[in-house]
Amino acid sequence: AQSVTQPDIHITVSEGASLELRCNYSYGATPYLFWYVQSPGQGLQLLLKYFSGDTLVQGIKGFEAEFKRSQSSFNLRKPSVHWSDAAEYFCALLNQAGTALIFGKGTTLSVSS
Amino acid sequence: DTAVSQTPKYLVTQMGNDKSIKCEQNLGHDTMYWYKQDSKKFLKIMFSYNNKELIINETVPNRFSPKSPDKAHLNLHINSLELGDSAVYFCASRRTLAGQETQYFGPGTRLLVL
């Protein structure tokens, strides 16, 4: 079965500290993976995506993610968090038919000063 | 030059009413979607249209009826609204082409049923 798991419901990070948000997937073939961010009261903005090739992908706002097939993971990282990064982060997997996204339950990021 | 737009942004209504949410994209995409985000922020696909034809219809009550008058529009009509329909509804779109799997989302419509 295809699924996405985000093990951390809520994470708090100090401003300026590094961040890693975890994402694990279950999928039989090479996955198409995405990270989206949802700021309070806003829509979903694409941060980055992995389709194939280089397993370390760069995104917007200084985010990067690393695809690890052996661990079925696609963790999101940022070296130095800003207060404006406080938001809900969703990892998503394109379903096998290529017709819809399967989302994880999201991780809420809080940034403390 | 909004890419994917939805109207209204907020919708407050009474149980039993019928309401519609509109979605328009100006990206030239040929596939459009409706997703529902529940109170726990979980996002799930409801419908997908490709070139005005329905290609995904998840387990959604038949009170929900999508309509695509053309490739740039996908509207969602909901009959006999129930309390459990309160959620955020997101429209999304993409181009149906290999390598173009990224979906672009609208700002969402926050529906509250009283």
Side-chain angles (χ1 to χ4, degrees), chain B residues 21-53:
Chain B
I21 306 172
K22 295 186 177 182
C23 177
E24 177 180 3
Q25 54 91 7
N26 62 4
L27 297 167
H29 291 168
D30 54 358
T31 300
M32 296 184 71
Y33 306 84
W34 280 109
Y35 287 85
K36 179 180 179 180
Q37 184 176 45
D38 64 22
S39 58
K40 295 184 179 177
K41 299 191 177 179
F42 183 56
L43 281 149
K44 189 172 180 187
I45 183 73
M46 298 175 70
F47 299 103
S48 172
Y49 267 74
N50 176 256
N51 283 320
K52 305 193 298 173
E53 289 192 23

Side-chain angles (χ1 to χ4, degrees), chain A residues 36 38 41 49 98-99 101, chain B residues 33 35 37 94 102-103 110:
Chain A
Y36 284 88
Q38 183 181 22
K49 62 191 177 189
T99 51
L101 292 174
Chain B
Y33 306 84
Y35 287 85
Q37 184 176 45
R94 62 166 279 200
T102 300
Q103 294 182 21
R110 285 143 186 86

Side-chain angles (χ1 to χ4, degrees), chain A:
Chain A
Q2 306 158 62
S3 64
V4 176
T5 302
Q6 293 180 249
D8 304 306
I9 296 173
H10 193 177
I11 284 183
T12 299
V13 174
S14 298
E15 191 168 15
S18 63
L19 169 70
E20 182 169 33
L21 300 182
R22 295 183 292 164
C23 173
N24 294 97
Y25 66 89
S26 174
Y27 190 74
T30 301
Y32 285 31
L33 293 160
F34 306 80
W35 275 101
Y36 284 88
V37 61
Q38 183 181 22
S39 297
Q42 301 298 311
L44 293 158
Q45 182 181 23
L46 178 71
L47 285 175
L48 46 77
K49 62 191 177 189
Y50 172 78
F51 289 175
S52 63
D54 194 347
T55 56
L56 185 64
V57 292
Q58 303 297 321
I60 62 171
K61 305 185 179 187
F63 285 92
E64 66 177 25
E66 186 170 13
F67 171 66
K68 291 186 178 180
R69 185 187 299 276
S70 61
Q71 298 177 20
S72 298
S73 69
F74 187 55
N75 294 348
L76 182 71
R77 301 194 294 245
K78 187 170 184 178
S80 177
V81 167
H82 188 261
W83 64 266
S84 60
D85 293 323
E88 192 78 21
Y89 291 80
F90 292 95
C91 183
L93 167 72
L94 187 66
N95 69 359
Q96 196 159 4
T99 51
L101 292 174
I102 300 167
F103 283 90
K105 293 192 174 182
T107 298
T108 303
L109 174 65
S110 298
V111 180
S112 61
S113 54

Side-chain angles (χ1 to χ4, degrees), chain B residues 2-112:
Chain B
T2 305
V4 183
S5 60
Q6 295 179 226
T7 52
K9 189 169 183 180
Y10 299 96
L11 185 53
V12 181
T13 188
Q14 299 286 330
M15 258 194 328
N17 284 350
D18 303 337
K19 290 294 178 185
S20 291
I21 306 172
K22 295 186 177 182
C23 177
E24 177 180 3
Q25 54 91 7
N26 62 4
L27 297 167
H29 291 168
D30 54 358
T31 300
M32 296 184 71
Y33 306 84
W34 280 109
Y35 287 85
K36 179 180 179 180
Q37 184 176 45
D38 64 22
S39 58
K40 295 184 179 177
K41 299 191 177 179
F42 183 56
L43 281 149
K44 189 172 180 187
I45 183 73
M46 298 175 70
F47 299 103
S48 172
Y49 267 74
N50 176 256
N51 283 320
K52 305 193 298 173
E53 289 192 23
L54 182 67
I55 58 172
I56 292 178
N57 183 355
E58 290 296 306
T59 309
V60 175
N62 58 15
R63 298 181 295 102
F64 290 78
S65 54
K67 283 191 172 50
S68 181
D70 55 57
K71 286 197 304 184
H73 296 83
L74 180 62
N75 304 324
L76 184 64
H77 188 75
I78 315 171
N79 289 328
S80 304
L81 278 155
E82 300 178 356
L83 295 177
D85 298 333
S86 295
V88 183
Y89 293 85
F90 286 102
C91 178
S93 72
R94 62 166 279 200
R95 192 184 304 277
T96 310
L97 199 62
Q100 303 289 323
E101 286 79 0
T102 300
Q103 294 182 21
Y104 296 88
F105 284 78
T109 294
R110 285 143 186 86
L111 171 65
L112 178 60

